[in-house]
Amino acid sequence: MKFGVALPNGWKMSLVDIKDPVDAYETMTNVAKAADETGYEAVWIVDHFHTVPLPTQEVTFESMMSLAAIARDTKRIRIGQIVTCNSYRNPALLAKMASTLDVLSHGRLNFGIGAGWYEHEYRAYGYPFPDAPERLRMLREALQVIHAMWEQEEATFEGKYYQIKGAINQPKGVQKPHIPILIGGGGEKVTLKLVAQYGDACNVGGDLKTLQHKLDVLKQHCENVGRDYASIYRTTGAFCSIADSDEEALALVPEAFRQGLTDTSLVGSPETIRQRIATFESLGINEIIMDFPSATDLTVLHRFAKEFIA
């Protein structure tokens, strides 16, 4: 099992007590540095512009620019988006940005992409917000564009939504045959089929029963298209709080996160968390991407690394 860290970019109000944006950035990158130094597999950042559950004036750092800086602030750890919204950038441009980021990070990029969902952001930034089926059709074309940009010398694609004609993308990135693509979302008819067709990794969420079902659906899609299911890197998210007892760990969880805790949350004593990790492993999860209680107090991040990574 590998462990990733969801960076506090402000989207979940994680930087709300830090008024200076420079200090907020330094707080975010300090989390990345700590994860880099203590053996975590990757740091991940969401691609959002406005806070949740409600839009506010609080800091929310843009994902691609943030990862470029974090690539220079870290040495070993992989970096990734969880996940970029296809609708926010032309996919040919996004492929170019990702190629550049892979070089800046010396080949450490996990490229995440999804169809998008946060309607308020679409409306606020002036993006059209088509219905979910159309957003998924756009994502399907975008994945083909991105593959073309990374694999062809002069990329060409003619689709309903996107067209490129002789697009040159140099450098194409460091990783071969191309930067790994993580497709986020658990839609059973389309999204998980896109993972089987075009993805190298997936990110699915839910309680344990839901996770098992989603992975079974993905496995069936892989069989249908002739893809080796084992070749897909499988990730999920979890809130993590560790202490000497389950009660102490729960007390560390901010109030805003408590309602979202499920049987997939890594909240408890080391023994409780060890049992839950074993359950994830039995489902076939390869990496757990974790939110921690505080952006400024990294005690839990360090203790988890000591207990389960070192």
Side-chain angles (χ1 to χ4, degrees):
M1 179 65 72
K2 296 178 179 179
F3 303 101
V5 176
L7 290 177
N9 77 321
W11 181 55
K12 294 181 179 179
M13 306 291 285
S14 52
L15 303 173
V16 67
D17 294 326
I18 305 170
K19 300 309 177 185
D20 185 331
V22 174
D23 290 343
Y25 164 72
E26 293 296 342
T27 297
M28 177 176 68
T29 198
N30 282 343
V31 175
K33 291 176 184 177
D36 189 35
E37 293 165 358
T38 52
Y40 288 87
E41 172 69 14
V43 289
W44 302 84
I45 191 167
V46 297
D47 187 33
H48 287 295
F49 310 144
H50 288 178
T51 58
V52 289
L54 296 173
T56 71
Q57 293 296 321
E58 297 298 330
V59 164
T60 308
F61 289 110
E62 192 274 332
S63 67
M64 298 295 283
M65 294 293 290
S66 297
L67 286 180
I70 288 165
R72 299 296 289 177
D73 289 342
T74 55
K75 297 180 175 63
R76 174 202 58 82
I77 202 163
R78 294 188 66 81
I79 60 174
Q81 312 89 355
I82 198 76
V83 289
T84 58
C85 172
N86 174 57
S87 308
Y88 293 170
R89 305 166 190 85
N90 176 281
L93 171 62
L94 187 56
K96 174 70 173 177
M97 295 170 74
S99 297
T100 299
L101 186 50
D102 196 46
V103 173
L104 297 183
S105 65
H106 298 189
R108 291 186 281 136
L109 177 64
N110 295 322
F111 173 72
I113 190 169
W117 61 271
Y118 196 4
E119 181 177 359
H120 179 88
E121 281 181 345
Y122 278 78
R123 303 298 186 198
Y125 275 71
Y127 297 127
F129 187 68
D131 61 21
E134 186 167 13
R135 296 199 308 277
L136 286 165
R137 290 192 292 270
M138 295 172 73
L139 176 61
R140 178 184 296 278
E141 284 195 9
L143 289 163
Q144 295 173 73
V145 168
I146 291 164
H147 270 282
M149 293 289 289
W150 289 348
E151 296 165 6
Q152 300 174 17
E153 290 301 301
E154 295 187 6
T156 299
F157 178 81
E158 187 71 28
K160 177 179 178 180
Y161 304 103
Y162 306 114
Q163 301 82 37
I164 52 174
K165 301 175 181 179
I168 296 173
N169 178 32
Q170 294 294 349
K172 292 188 180 299
V174 173
Q175 299 175 85
K176 305 300 180 186
H178 58 72
I179 301 162
I181 298 176
L182 180 149
I183 300 172
E188 297 177 16
K189 293 182 179 180
V190 179
T191 305
L192 293 177
K193 184 177 180 180
L194 292 177
V195 173
Q197 293 175 312
Y198 301 107
D200 302 289
C202 66
N203 181 260
V204 292
D207 58 21
L208 291 174
K209 182 178 180 180
T210 300
L211 277 180
Q212 180 67 75
H213 175 68
K214 298 294 184 183
L215 293 174
D216 287 343
V217 171
L218 175 59
K219 186 178 295 184
Q220 185 60 56
H221 282 306
C222 287
E223 291 179 5
N224 293 343
V225 303
R227 176 75 183 276
D228 179 9
Y229 171 74
S231 71
I232 295 174
Y233 190 73
R234 299 173 294 278
T235 75
T236 192
F239 191 89
C240 178
S241 178
I242 185 171
D244 291 339
S245 69
D246 293 354
E247 293 76 17
E248 290 174 290
L250 182 60
L252 294 175
V253 179
E255 193 66 36
F257 286 89
R258 292 194 181 190
Q259 290 185 344
L261 298 180
T262 70
D263 57 1
T264 59
S265 301
L266 299 181
V267 176
S269 67
E271 182 55 36
T272 295
I273 291 177
R274 190 168 287 109
Q275 292 171 3
R276 293 196 172 184
I277 291 172
T279 302
F280 278 122
E281 288 180 316
S282 70
L283 295 179
I285 294 295
N286 302 115
E287 180 177 338
I288 305 171
I289 301 169
M290 295 178 291
D291 281 291
F292 289 106
S294 173
T296 53
D297 182 350
L298 303 184
T299 302
V300 174
L301 182 150
H302 283 285
R303 180 164 184 182
F304 184 92
K306 182 179 179 180
E307 295 277 359
F308 297 102
I309 299 176

